[in-house]
Amino acid sequence: MSRRSGILEFAVLGLLRESPMHGYELRKRLNTSLGIFRAFSYGTLYPCLKTLVASGWLIEEPGSVPASPPATSRGVAPASSLAGRRAKIVYRLTAEGKEHFEELLSHTGPDAWEDEHFAARFAFFGQTEREVRMRVLEGRRSRLEERLEKMRASLARTRERLDDYTLELQRHGMESVEREVRWLNELIESERSGRDQRRSSPESSPQQDTTGATGGLPRHRDNTRPDPSDDTK
Amino acid sequence: MSRRSGILEFAVLGLLRESPMHGYELRKRLNTSLGIFRAFSYGTLYPCLKTLVASGWLIEEPGSVPASPPATSRGVAPASSLAGRRAKIVYRLTAEGKEHFEELLSHTGPDAWEDEHFAARFAFFGQTEREVRMRVLEGRRSRLEERLEKMRASLARTRERLDDYTLELQRHGMESVEREVRWLNELIESERSGRDQRRSSPESSPQQDTTGATGGLPRHRDNTRPDPSDDTK
DNA sequence: GTTTTCATGTAACCCGTTACATGATTCA
DNA sequence: TGAATCATGTAACGGGTTACATGAAAAC
């Protein structure tokens, strides 16, 4: 009766909304597909999945189970056929789960502007209504501006007493924040000018819309081209 | 018999090395003076101080105690005068504590390149030997480059299946990391060319050396001026 | 004289990790 | 056939927060 992680729960629901998956795969997507996400461990993920099932938002389905004994009878036949042969468990979002996620998507508390929370929200902007996107972006921005002011103030108070390294660290920190603010400005600007491509209809299914529908994101240098000598493996 | 926080412990020792302080003030310095540090709560700080005292690295000293009972007898006189009147407790680094901190400063494990840990290390570069600074900076850089490669790889694998927002998030994330790498490059460069201003003598007292001693830090725009026309536009 | 700010502390909880235990599948 | 990878899980612990309790000094 606990494990209400917020961000993990949110991300899991969001990923499963796109397509059913088993835990192992889910975890990898958590680490890679979404931008900022740090690596959640299995010790976190699996219990979380359990509670989501208990809440009725997910159901477990047998994955590619070796349902009928495969041709190779090599394996020692399990003493008791009941003693659940462990197999892949595929998790699928239930209708209630979908509804719940939709609700999470739409309400914007001040938690939503904190670092990791914000990244999670942004990662699912594709399924978020425009109005909400705006609120989140603007909330995040003012959160950062607030932070900047504090930094400036504290720096003004103490700059004489600090050595060069501490100063440089603060300078770099502030510059990072300023940079994110500029980024948000661009995003907000292009949300404002872009057409409202995600209508408010609750019946929009995800998945498609890879047709460049997301209108007005600012153009940036594409640093992801095939990169001839990439290979990675 | 626990509470070995690493980063908090390190920062506390480092700050107290510069001058004795009581907990309340210590906490504020943790939040502001040092660049990146997030706000530790009292619930973390005070117990930590206790264990540091128990380890013999700090001693508690009475602060500006109202040693003799103040004139206002309004308060219910404490039943037992022994039941310690609570007063400011000033923490001071012991010789062993100093030694311990010195040791922490000098050994560079791979923990030292992680985000928060690195920031803490950097914040005390003023008391760190040049050789160690180099190892930390280079370690951090290769840590980040490693991370970059993973991001690039995963992006190359999945870019077709992702919507524009997720893509943008990843792009921005990568750009941030790239930016930090460039920063590190500058720092490393200026460490290399700068004079070795922090000699290896173990007897160097901190505090002074505000005489521009830190030689070669790269020059940046001073973004702390009153700044007449900026307005974060 | 009351409200703020300074100042110290503790207990309950939360979110997550590590290290471990188990077993199936794939591939050299 | 044995190693690597896929896959699921749990118990113990770690490091931190929140909310609370307490009280002195300063500011209004």
Side-chain angles (χ1 to χ4, degrees), chain A residues 36-62:
Chain A
I36 289 310
F37 283 12
R38 66 178 183 302
F40 287 99
S41 66
Y42 298 121
T44 313
L45 179 56
Y46 284 117
C48 171
L49 286 169
K50 286 274 169 74
T51 75
L52 291 179
V53 168
S55 304
W57 296 327
L58 304 183
I59 39 163
E60 303 182 342
E61 293 180 341

Side-chain angles (χ1 to χ4, degrees), chain A residues 33 165 168 170 183 191 224, chain B residues 33 159 165 170 183 191:
Chain A
S33 300
Y165 284 110
E168 175 60 20
Q170 291 197 1
W183 181 62
E191 287 285 353
T224 64
Chain B
S33 299
R159 65 191 273 76
Y165 285 109
Q170 291 196 2
W183 181 62
E191 286 285 353

Side-chain angles (χ1 to χ4, degrees), chain B residues 90-124:
Chain B
V90 172
Y91 292 92
R92 175 188 301 278
L93 211 57
T94 63
E96 299 82 38
K98 206 164 169 176
E99 205 177 325
H100 178 62
F101 180 66
E102 223 90 24
E103 201 182 328
L104 289 180
L105 268 188
S106 70
H107 78 55
T108 51
D111 336 329
W113 352 114
E114 296 311 314
D115 300 319
E116 299 220 300
H117 222 315
F118 169 74
R121 294 303 302 252
F122 192 92
F124 293 103

Side-chain angles (χ1 to χ4, degrees), chain B residues 45-230:
Chain B
L45 179 57
Y46 284 117
C48 171
L49 286 170
K50 286 276 170 72
T51 74
L52 291 180
V53 168
S55 304
W57 296 328
L58 305 183
I59 40 163
E60 304 183 341
E61 293 180 342
S64 47
V65 201
S68 42
T72 62
S73 57
R74 195 258 285 141
V76 179
S80 123
S81 61
L82 254 176
R85 293 192 35 50
R86 193 156 53 160
K88 280 195 191 178
I89 298 174
V90 172
Y91 292 92
R92 175 188 301 278
L93 211 57
T94 63
E96 299 82 38
K98 206 164 169 176
E99 205 177 325
H100 178 62
F101 180 66
E102 223 90 24
E103 201 182 328
L104 289 180
L105 268 188
S106 70
H107 78 55
T108 51
D111 336 329
W113 352 114
E114 296 311 314
D115 300 319
E116 299 220 300
H117 222 315
F118 169 74
R121 294 303 302 252
F122 192 92
F124 293 103
F125 263 21
Q127 3 258 31
T128 307
E129 285 180 38
R130 185 142 165 277
E131 209 187 317
V132 178
R133 293 199 303 257
M134 282 300 266
R135 275 206 300 279
V136 172
L137 290 173
E138 278 164 354
R140 173 67 175 172
R141 182 176 55 180
S142 65
R143 181 72 191 70
L144 289 183
E145 263 156 3
E146 206 172 275
R147 198 184 292 180
L148 263 182
E149 241 174 274
K150 268 186 202 153
M151 291 171 107
R152 275 195 255 268
S154 109
L155 197 46
R157 256 189 277 107
T158 61
R159 65 191 273 76
E160 307 308 338
R161 303 188 283 112
L162 300 177
D163 68 286
D164 290 2
Y165 285 109
T166 314
L167 233 42
E168 175 61 19
L169 183 56
Q170 291 196 2
R171 196 200 54 75
H172 180 252
M174 279 187 46
E175 213 172 273
S176 299
V177 179
E178 281 165 354
R179 192 174 149 274
E180 188 173 343
V181 169
R182 285 195 299 274
W183 181 62
L184 289 169
N185 283 336
E186 280 181 45
L187 291 172
I188 289 168
E189 189 45 47
S190 67
E191 286 285 353
R192 251 194 255 283
S193 60
R195 282 306 347 109
D196 185 354
Q197 69 288 354
R198 178 76 48 185
R199 62 263 172 263
S200 313
S201 149
E203 292 309 328
S204 66
S205 76
Q207 220 73 335
Q208 50 256 46
D209 270 356
T210 329
T211 54
T214 7
L217 278 190
R219 277 292 134 231
H220 287 282
R221 179 178 71 88
D222 182 349
N223 50 13
T224 64
R225 289 162 309 168
D227 206 357
S229 66
D230 189 23

